[in-house]
Amino acid sequence: MKQIHILHYLVILCAVMPFIAAAYADDTMADRVITDALGREVTLPTEVTSVLSTAPPTTMTIYLIAPELLIGWNSDPTAVGGIFIPDQYHKLPVVGGWFGKSDGNYESFIQLSPDVIFEGRTIKGDPTDLDAVSDRQKHFGSIPLLAVQDTANISGFTKPISFIGTVLNKKERADELIVYYQEALKTVKETVSQIPEDQKVTVYYAEGPDGLATDPSGSQHSMLIDYCGGKNVAETTITPGIGMTPVSFEQVMSWNPEVIIASDPSFASSVLDDPLWKDIPAVKSGRVYGVPLAPFSWFDRPPGTNQIPGLYWMLHSLYPEKYSQDALKEKISQFYSSFYGIELSSPDLEALLQKNPKYGAE
């Protein structure tokens, strides 16, 4: 009789074991531990379905890797940028953040209940912002906060792209972006290495509607000039945060730039006909290039992975004889198709690559 009872219990146990194992697996697999850029061990859900970032450079990277997981912007996308942003993303709420003006609001983040928030502070070199990030985590309460290695350094995007891809379970997509990015870096580096120092072009980065603000060499806002072999002529101080150091027209005249990169479309469209600027070499030769801005700037604001197509654009703008427009068109089309999900028509591509870019029906 005892043997029958034991056999009976064994049958029942065998029947329920799969359910016990499944329940245990579900419980143990519900979370995972990620070590962030500051060495903090952070517990977060195995499957991340919603995400925010505290600063635009990191938000741009999320958008390139997993736009469907992004649930808010740090600032409103521009009207121009919106042309190439699908409605479901363009209409996401704005939560602010801690960058430049630092207008972040903790409640705005918390109300959206993201699975994880990326700390988008620019962390240069060895991370040292542990106290600041720990304080931010206290404000966010139970929502996991992950610090990301510098996402605003044009030569250092590989680590943050890979890290964000891992956290979001989008490794394949992140790897694809890394391959494109590293190929761009290699192309630029190999091309620039063949240009003698005395043949490198001088460049002025004109910001604002009058072109009389700039960012000198060493600023995160002008990195593409240095990286792509230009000589930034601005001899002025770096304005922390938002940059845009005011300068005088007399200073620009004395710097005598061969190329002008213009952040403001109105300045780019008017300067060639402005008698005040007519004797500047860049204006004389027509080498004034407005920065493409859709869906995000290729040059800066924010400095981040949105600059990746700007590597090819800047190389062509400075050295068209070294890097052709046909090669540029191919790479820009590939980037927009692969990472923005946009198949650029020939007219749209041509419009983007004009010296003063046009967008959509403009």
Side-chain angles (χ1 to χ4, degrees), residues 135-161:
D135 181 67
R136 182 108 61 227
Q137 178 67 84
K138 290 178 183 176
H139 283 87
F140 285 133
S142 62
I143 301 173
L145 179 68
L146 290 172
V148 185
Q149 186 70 26
D150 189 359
T151 51
N153 180 353
I154 191 67
S155 64
F157 291 154
T158 298
K159 281 186 177 180
I161 291 172

mmCIF file of all heavy atoms in Angstrom, residues 135-161:
data_model
loop_
_atom_site.group_PDB
_atom_site.id
_atom_site.type_symbol
_atom_site.label_atom_id
_atom_site.label_comp_id
_atom_site.label_asym_id
_atom_site.label_seq_id
_atom_site.Cartn_x
_atom_site.Cartn_y
_atom_site.Cartn_z
ATOM 1 N N ASP A 135 23.179 60.675 -6.661
ATOM 2 C CA ASP A 135 22.165 61.628 -6.211
ATOM 3 C C ASP A 135 20.963 61.627 -7.143
ATOM 4 O O ASP A 135 19.813 61.668 -6.701
ATOM 5 C CB ASP A 135 22.770 63.031 -6.129
ATOM 6 C CG ASP A 135 21.766 64.063 -5.639
ATOM 7 O OD1 ASP A 135 21.367 63.981 -4.467
ATOM 8 O OD2 ASP A 135 21.368 64.936 -6.448
ATOM 9 N N ARG A 136 21.232 61.556 -8.454
ATOM 10 C CA ARG A 136 20.146 61.521 -9.427
ATOM 11 C C ARG A 136 19.305 60.245 -9.238
ATOM 12 O O ARG A 136 18.081 60.287 -9.335
ATOM 13 C CB ARG A 136 20.713 61.570 -10.846
ATOM 14 C CG ARG A 136 19.648 61.578 -11.912
ATOM 15 C CD ARG A 136 19.483 62.891 -12.623
ATOM 16 N NE ARG A 136 20.639 63.341 -13.331
ATOM 17 C CZ ARG A 136 21.132 64.585 -13.257
ATOM 18 N NH1 ARG A 136 20.553 65.476 -12.470
ATOM 19 N NH2 ARG A 136 22.185 64.943 -13.949
ATOM 20 N N GLN A 137 19.958 59.129 -8.950
ATOM 21 C CA GLN A 137 19.231 57.882 -8.729
ATOM 22 C C GLN A 137 18.277 58.010 -7.544
ATOM 23 O O GLN A 137 17.153 57.499 -7.579
ATOM 24 C CB GLN A 137 20.213 56.736 -8.483
ATOM 25 C CG GLN A 137 19.562 55.392 -8.183
ATOM 26 C CD GLN A 137 18.806 54.826 -9.365
ATOM 27 O OE1 GLN A 137 19.375 54.185 -10.239
ATOM 28 N NE2 GLN A 137 17.492 55.047 -9.410
ATOM 29 N N LYS A 138 18.694 58.719 -6.509
ATOM 30 C CA LYS A 138 17.814 58.920 -5.356
ATOM 31 C C LYS A 138 16.544 59.652 -5.770
ATOM 32 O O LYS A 138 15.444 59.331 -5.306
ATOM 33 C CB LYS A 138 18.546 59.706 -4.269
ATOM 34 C CG LYS A 138 19.659 58.937 -3.591
ATOM 35 C CD LYS A 138 20.375 59.811 -2.564
ATOM 36 C CE LYS A 138 21.547 59.073 -1.939
ATOM 37 N NZ LYS A 138 22.302 59.957 -1.005
ATOM 38 N N HIS A 139 16.678 60.637 -6.640
ATOM 39 C CA HIS A 139 15.503 61.382 -7.100
ATOM 40 C C HIS A 139 14.577 60.512 -7.945
ATOM 41 O O HIS A 139 13.357 60.687 -7.910
ATOM 42 C CB HIS A 139 15.939 62.604 -7.915
ATOM 43 C CG HIS A 139 16.441 63.744 -7.094
ATOM 44 N ND1 HIS A 139 17.757 63.842 -6.696
ATOM 45 C CD2 HIS A 139 15.810 64.835 -6.583
ATOM 46 C CE1 HIS A 139 17.917 64.944 -5.983
ATOM 47 N NE2 HIS A 139 16.756 65.562 -5.894
ATOM 48 N N PHE A 140 15.159 59.586 -8.716
ATOM 49 C CA PHE A 140 14.337 58.734 -9.577
ATOM 50 C C PHE A 140 13.734 57.554 -8.821
ATOM 51 O O PHE A 140 12.904 56.826 -9.365
ATOM 52 C CB PHE A 140 15.150 58.225 -10.767
ATOM 53 C CG PHE A 140 15.390 59.254 -11.827
ATOM 54 C CD1 PHE A 140 16.660 59.435 -12.371
ATOM 55 C CD2 PHE A 140 14.359 60.042 -12.304
ATOM 56 C CE1 PHE A 140 16.884 60.387 -13.356
ATOM 57 C CE2 PHE A 140 14.576 60.997 -13.286
ATOM 58 C CZ PHE A 140 15.842 61.173 -13.816
ATOM 59 N N GLY A 141 14.159 57.349 -7.590
ATOM 60 C CA GLY A 141 13.571 56.286 -6.775
ATOM 61 C C GLY A 141 13.877 54.904 -7.314
ATOM 62 O O GLY A 141 15.034 54.550 -7.543
ATOM 63 N N SER A 142 12.845 54.105 -7.560
ATOM 64 C CA SER A 142 13.031 52.708 -7.963
ATOM 65 C C SER A 142 13.312 52.537 -9.458
ATOM 66 O O SER A 142 13.604 51.428 -9.905
ATOM 67 C CB SER A 142 11.786 51.897 -7.593
ATOM 68 O OG SER A 142 10.645 52.392 -8.287
ATOM 69 N N ILE A 143 13.228 53.614 -10.236
ATOM 70 C CA ILE A 143 13.504 53.499 -11.673
ATOM 71 C C ILE A 143 15.009 53.383 -11.869
ATOM 72 O O ILE A 143 15.761 54.276 -11.452
ATOM 73 C CB ILE A 143 12.960 54.710 -12.454
ATOM 74 C CG1 ILE A 143 11.454 54.843 -12.260
ATOM 75 C CG2 ILE A 143 13.295 54.582 -13.938
ATOM 76 C CD1 ILE A 143 10.867 56.113 -12.866
ATOM 77 N N PRO A 144 15.491 52.332 -12.508
ATOM 78 C CA PRO A 144 16.937 52.148 -12.659
ATOM 79 C C PRO A 144 17.562 53.271 -13.503
ATOM 80 O O PRO A 144 17.014 53.674 -14.531
ATOM 81 C CB PRO A 144 17.060 50.808 -13.390
ATOM 82 C CG PRO A 144 15.750 50.134 -13.209
ATOM 83 C CD PRO A 144 14.725 51.214 -13.084
ATOM 84 N N LEU A 145 18.715 53.762 -13.061
ATOM 85 C CA LEU A 145 19.462 54.799 -13.771
ATOM 86 C C LEU A 145 20.819 54.233 -14.147
ATOM 87 O O LEU A 145 21.570 53.751 -13.292
ATOM 88 C CB LEU A 145 19.635 56.031 -12.886
ATOM 89 C CG LEU A 145 20.421 57.201 -13.486
ATOM 90 C CD1 LEU A 145 19.646 57.848 -14.637
ATOM 91 C CD2 LEU A 145 20.751 58.240 -12.412
ATOM 92 N N LEU A 146 21.154 54.289 -15.442
ATOM 93 C CA LEU A 146 22.418 53.753 -15.940
ATOM 94 C C LEU A 146 23.275 54.875 -16.508
ATOM 95 O O LEU A 146 22.842 55.605 -17.410
ATOM 96 C CB LEU A 146 22.169 52.715 -17.041
ATOM 97 C CG LEU A 146 21.566 51.382 -16.630
ATOM 98 C CD1 LEU A 146 21.213 50.563 -17.867
ATOM 99 C CD2 LEU A 146 22.548 50.590 -15.752
ATOM 100 N N ALA A 147 24.494 55.028 -16.007
ATOM 101 C CA ALA A 147 25.433 56.004 -16.563
ATOM 102 C C ALA A 147 26.069 55.427 -17.827
ATOM 103 O O ALA A 147 26.424 54.254 -17.877
ATOM 104 C CB ALA A 147 26.508 56.343 -15.543
ATOM 105 N N VAL A 148 26.197 56.280 -18.835
ATOM 106 C CA VAL A 148 26.746 55.858 -20.125
ATOM 107 C C VAL A 148 28.072 56.563 -20.357
ATOM 108 O O VAL A 148 28.205 57.754 -20.075
ATOM 109 C CB VAL A 148 25.770 56.215 -21.273
ATOM 110 C CG1 VAL A 148 26.282 55.676 -22.601
ATOM 111 C CG2 VAL A 148 24.389 55.679 -20.983
ATOM 112 N N GLN A 149 29.050 55.829 -20.874
ATOM 113 C CA GLN A 149 30.317 56.452 -21.239
ATOM 114 C C GLN A 149 30.069 57.526 -22.290
ATOM 115 O O GLN A 149 29.106 57.447 -23.054
ATOM 116 C CB GLN A 149 31.290 55.394 -21.777
ATOM 117 C CG GLN A 149 32.704 55.891 -22.061
ATOM 118 C CD GLN A 149 33.472 56.217 -20.790
ATOM 119 O OE1 GLN A 149 33.183 55.648 -19.735
ATOM 120 N NE2 GLN A 149 34.411 57.131 -20.876
ATOM 121 N N ASP A 150 30.908 58.529 -22.334
ATOM 122 C CA ASP A 150 30.793 59.719 -23.176
ATOM 123 C C ASP A 150 30.079 59.471 -24.502
ATOM 124 O O ASP A 150 30.583 58.796 -25.385
ATOM 125 C CB ASP A 150 32.196 60.253 -23.437
ATOM 126 C CG ASP A 150 32.193 61.605 -24.104
ATOM 127 O OD1 ASP A 150 31.095 62.119 -24.378
ATOM 128 O OD2 ASP A 150 33.279 62.133 -24.347
ATOM 129 N N THR A 151 28.882 60.055 -24.660
ATOM 130 C CA THR A 151 28.129 59.931 -25.908
ATOM 131 C C THR A 151 28.227 61.196 -26.745
ATOM 132 O O THR A 151 27.454 61.388 -27.681
ATOM 133 C CB THR A 151 26.645 59.638 -25.626
ATOM 134 O OG1 THR A 151 26.149 60.604 -24.689
ATOM 135 C CG2 THR A 151 26.459 58.242 -25.077
ATOM 136 N N ALA A 152 29.157 62.106 -26.410
ATOM 137 C CA ALA A 152 29.277 63.368 -27.138
ATOM 138 C C ALA A 152 30.681 63.565 -27.690
ATOM 139 O O ALA A 152 31.089 64.683 -27.983
ATOM 140 C CB ALA A 152 28.911 64.533 -26.221
ATOM 141 N N ASN A 153 31.404 62.483 -27.857
ATOM 142 C CA ASN A 153 32.771 62.551 -28.374
ATOM 143 C C ASN A 153 32.832 61.816 -29.699
ATOM 144 O O ASN A 153 32.698 60.601 -29.744
ATOM 145 C CB ASN A 153 33.732 61.927 -27.363
ATOM 146 C CG ASN A 153 35.179 61.960 -27.826
ATOM 147 O OD1 ASN A 153 35.475 62.330 -28.963
ATOM 148 N ND2 ASN A 153 36.081 61.576 -26.941
ATOM 149 N N ILE A 154 33.029 62.550 -30.784
ATOM 150 C CA ILE A 154 32.920 61.979 -32.130
ATOM 151 C C ILE A 154 33.846 60.782 -32.345
ATOM 152 O O ILE A 154 33.555 59.905 -33.148
ATOM 153 C CB ILE A 154 33.196 63.069 -33.201
ATOM 154 C CG1 ILE A 154 32.820 62.580 -34.607
ATOM 155 C CG2 ILE A 154 34.650 63.507 -33.164
ATOM 156 C CD1 ILE A 154 31.363 62.358 -34.812
ATOM 157 N N SER A 155 34.947 60.693 -31.600
ATOM 158 C CA SER A 155 35.869 59.575 -31.790
ATOM 159 C C SER A 155 35.609 58.432 -30.810
ATOM 160 O O SER A 155 36.330 57.430 -30.840
ATOM 161 C CB SER A 155 37.320 60.051 -31.644
ATOM 162 O OG SER A 155 37.561 60.523 -30.325
ATOM 163 N N GLY A 156 34.585 58.563 -29.962
ATOM 164 C CA GLY A 156 34.391 57.560 -28.917
ATOM 165 C C GLY A 156 32.998 56.991 -28.803
ATOM 166 O O GLY A 156 32.543 56.661 -27.697
ATOM 167 N N PHE A 157 32.309 56.828 -29.924
ATOM 168 C CA PHE A 157 30.923 56.362 -29.876
ATOM 169 C C PHE A 157 30.768 54.852 -29.726
ATOM 170 O O PHE A 157 29.687 54.371 -29.385
ATOM 171 C CB PHE A 157 30.168 56.794 -31.134
ATOM 172 C CG PHE A 157 29.904 58.272 -31.252
ATOM 173 C CD1 PHE A 157 29.732 58.863 -32.497
ATOM 174 C CD2 PHE A 157 29.829 59.075 -30.130
ATOM 175 C CE1 PHE A 157 29.486 60.218 -32.617
ATOM 176 C CE2 PHE A 157 29.591 60.433 -30.236
ATOM 177 C CZ PHE A 157 29.413 61.005 -31.485
ATOM 178 N N THR A 158 31.810 54.087 -29.987
ATOM 179 C CA THR A 158 31.657 52.633 -30.022
ATOM 180 C C THR A 158 31.165 52.074 -28.692
ATOM 181 O O THR A 158 30.217 51.273 -28.650
ATOM 182 C CB THR A 158 32.978 51.952 -30.422
ATOM 183 O OG1 THR A 158 33.338 52.369 -31.746
ATOM 184 C CG2 THR A 158 32.845 50.437 -30.406
ATOM 185 N N LYS A 159 31.781 52.480 -27.595
ATOM 186 C CA LYS A 159 31.388 51.946 -26.277
ATOM 187 C C LYS A 159 29.941 52.272 -25.921
ATOM 188 O O LYS A 159 29.181 51.384 -25.533
ATOM 189 C CB LYS A 159 32.346 52.454 -25.197
ATOM 190 C CG LYS A 159 33.669 51.702 -25.143
ATOM 191 C CD LYS A 159 34.495 52.161 -23.948
ATOM 192 C CE LYS A 159 35.787 51.372 -23.848
ATOM 193 N NZ LYS A 159 36.604 51.813 -22.686
ATOM 194 N N PRO A 160 29.535 53.534 -26.012
ATOM 195 C CA PRO A 160 28.132 53.811 -25.645
ATOM 196 C C PRO A 160 27.119 53.141 -26.566
ATOM 197 O O PRO A 160 26.061 52.706 -26.110
ATOM 198 C CB PRO A 160 28.030 55.337 -25.720
ATOM 199 C CG PRO A 160 29.209 55.789 -26.498
ATOM 200 C CD PRO A 160 30.283 54.778 -26.261
ATOM 201 N N ILE A 161 27.419 53.058 -27.858
ATOM 202 C CA ILE A 161 26.499 52.373 -28.773
ATOM 203 C C ILE A 161 26.352 50.909 -28.353
ATOM 204 O O ILE A 161 25.242 50.369 -28.259
ATOM 205 C CB ILE A 161 26.986 52.458 -30.233
ATOM 206 C CG1 ILE A 161 26.890 53.890 -30.751
ATOM 207 C CG2 ILE A 161 26.170 51.515 -31.124
ATOM 208 C CD1 ILE A 161 27.532 54.091 -32.120
#
